[in-house]
Amino acid sequence: MISNSRFYLSVFVFTACISSTQTSDTISASQTVSDSSDDSLISSTGAFALGFFSPGSSKNRYVGIWYNKIEEKTVVWVANRDNPLIDRSGRLIVVEPGRLLLLNATNATIWSANISTTAQAPLARLLDTGNLVVTDANDANNFIWQSFDYPTDTFLPGMKLGRNFVTGHETYIASAKNSDDPATGSFTYHCDPSGYPQTVIKEGSSVRFKTGPWNGVRFSGSQNLVKNTIFSFGVVIGKNEVYYHYNLLNDSVYMRFTLSESGVGQRWLWSYLTRSWILYLTIPSDNCDIYRVCGAYGVCNTKTTPDCSCLDNFEDGGDFSKGCTRRTPLNCQEGDGFLKYSGIKLPDTEHALANSTMSLQECRAACATDCSCTAYAPLDISNGETGCLRWFGDLVDMRDISPGQDIYIRMAKSELGSGSRKRKTIVVALSVVMGILVLGLSMLLYSQKRKKQNHRQQESEMPNYMDAQYPSESHEELELPMYDLSTIIKATDDFSGNNKLGEGGFGPVYKGVLEGQEIAVKRLSKTSLQGQNEFKNEVICIAKLQHRNLVRLLGCCIQGEERILLYEYMTNKSLDLILFDQVKKKMLDWPRRFYIINGIARGLMYLHQDSRLRVIHRDLKASNILLDSDMNPKISDFGLARTFGGNETGANTSRVVGTYGYMSPEYAVDGMFSVKSDVFSFGVLVLEIISGKRNRGFTLIDHRHNLLGHAWMLYKEERSLELVDHCVEYSSYISQVVRSIHVGLLCVQEQTEERPNMSSVVLMLNNDGVLPESKHPGFFTGRDVKTNETSHNSNTASSGNTMTISLLEAR
Ligand SMILES: *[C@@H]1O[C@H](CO)[C@@H](O)[C@H](O)[C@H]1NC(C)=O
Ligand SMILES: *[C@@H]1O[C@H](CO)[C@@H](O)[C@H](O)[C@H]1NC(C)=O
Ligand SMILES: *[C@@H]1O[C@H](CO)[C@@H](O)[C@H](O)[C@H]1NC(C)=O
Ligand SMILES: *[C@@H]1O[C@H](CO)[C@@H](O)[C@H](O)[C@H]1NC(C)=O
Ligand SMILES: *[C@@H]1O[C@H](CO)[C@@H](O)[C@H](O)[C@H]1NC(C)=O
């Protein structure tokens, strides 16, 4: 019924507009979309258009589908990509018994939809998803053909990338030749169901990249494709079909995935604000993503030089293209065992065997009794560890990755004992019980001989230290290179004063050189009251969390009294040293400031929304934002972070830690902290970055507001632009500046529940939607008490007291 009335409506619209440009979403038999009269189809809500176009500087004509509301012409599908029209004579028609044809001047078929079914009253309709479908007018929901089954170089939301076993049809995308020629290029992107589904980029018939198998949550080797608030994604594994798909969580967002002419998979997000596409993520993303770059039993790690090393208990012959071989050959008759390796991208599953009902014990038994089975692993980690994946033959395409997975690799009996590890490894068992607080953590230090190359953490099957202490699905293990004190002393020239970079909350930070690489060394002060716990927290958090806007922890040292953390070194030190320096702040023009705000927002979003752990930073401030040589911002100092189970949003703490000026009211007064306290600190940072002034210590002659109060007052009077740092030329970015200030103010609102979460912040910064009115900020009439976590204010015994007092004064 609905479809019929829609059909008549469409015909009516078509008839009404027949003299001018056609604006229907449908063509039926006897109607045409013709290039010479500039016809097009527009989907019902106007999201997509279909018509004729010429790409780039080409004069050839193609039928394509593009976003109708985006001024930058973005074609998502091309009908005749391999057979262009050379003039404007093209006509797209629907003919009985259900064929969609593109004809040229001499009525030769330039392109046709490959339709085998017949339809009595065929219709072609452009849907709001960007899908061009052919149906029978009487059965509009039954697509006898759809462009989503024949995509070109773009994988759109709602499309099914994969294989239909009933029809034998495979849906995949293929790159274009170049921007002037949409013809089929040399790269393709598939969802390959063989063994166990993974997605694959190929050049011709050779594999360039595999994501690793789907594990119920993500692809085993995907670093950046994680649960988020913009789109959902998944792999559907059924008897009749296997496909990979994604769907937007909000219709007003545009996202597309394309395969570039050089074979890079790119996920793009439309920014309403900059009116341009933002590159959201790419695959492959680094050298270690190259398919089987380290050969059999090799592991790739971008943080080591060279990238490739062998799994422990394997050896290379000096050439990684040949991979690694076992130190001790297997002997199935004598009874082999299994060693557990953690934190890796699972090997290629093309020839693996999957069973979703087996338990891990059954899996091990099945693998143990089959001499050709080389390894096993849980199949699905979405709900504990379920199912069974077994490998036969050499294991290839592994890399270090975070979050990574566990795999149990068959090993000769003699290799099962301890004493084989090549580098000391710290293993932290983190037990999250029933999603409440982190109840227990234990550190097991292994002191084995350190050799050059490897760092796989592993445990032999007996004894299993982990299983002895915790139920198997309630813990995760981490690894982190451990260094001894003498190495650190050498790297920092015995903590020489010349190498001191600064004094952090818990001790001094030094510059050092380790294995040719510049590093930052944080030495926890022995006198620090907060030492131990914060140290452990920091070790756990940072080792687990990897994101390009988070500072990377490279290793640690626990020896005697010493607690030392090793980080990547940031050439441009911390944001406060540049932002609040009258000369250096000129380096930060508006695009750079906006970039930094966005980077911090993304890093914080990652901390708050990582699918399994929720990390609250609790001490976000300008001096904790470090800048690398390209001025990319990275959040540092997780010393105060708390980890929670996924559904825990906040907690009460008796001890208030943090920095005055960045602390939210509910945290400073009541010790209540949550992700929204971090959002508050983020808001303060945004306003500081825009104004170039510190919130704490901000004074103006004419009133007694702090920076937040000042910003809010200007906002109320629609004078927000007056907040901007005087050295910043912003005239070409006015709407972006105004929006950023507005978002900053939304983040510092007094009422916790009014503050947006970080994913909304990221969207609000990059889209053009209407923002809610900001209510007044917390602390906005603060008489500023100049205290500081490292200052020497003799009137204040402890910063905790001062903060509370200053707040009460403020109210
Ligand atoms: C129409 O296409 C046919 C087949 O490709 C070609 O031979 C013919 O020259 C074309 N006619 C025009 C006018 O382009
Ligand atoms: C092409 O087909 C149209 C409609 O069927 C017809 O009017 C026209 O004469 C044909 N042109 C040629 C060159 O055959
Ligand atoms: C059209 O479909 C048939 C079978 O349905 C298939 O054999 C043929 O290769 C397809 N042609 C194109 C161009 O996809
Ligand atoms: C989608 O985004 C728009 C604009 O940002 C917002 O108004 C709307 O509430 C969102 N819809 C949903 C379902 O989140
Ligand atoms: C999976 O394993 C179970 C238990 O061993 C077995 O009964 C079942 O047939 C297996 N399924 C497949 C598809 O092999």
Side-chain angles (χ1 to χ4, degrees), residues 330-351:
L330 292 174
N331 188 335
C332 195
Q333 273 66 42
E334 277 184 18
D336 302 322
F338 292 94
L339 274 184
K340 176 177 176 179
Y341 293 75
S342 298
I344 62 169
K345 168 184 179 181
L346 293 181
D348 190 1
T349 45
E350 189 175 348
H351 304 295

Side-chain angles (χ1 to χ4, degrees), residues 614-626:
R614 182 188 287 270
V615 174
I616 302 177
H617 188 292
R618 298 209 293 168
D619 197 15
L620 195 67
K621 54 182 169 180
S623 58
N624 275 338
I625 305 300
L626 305 187

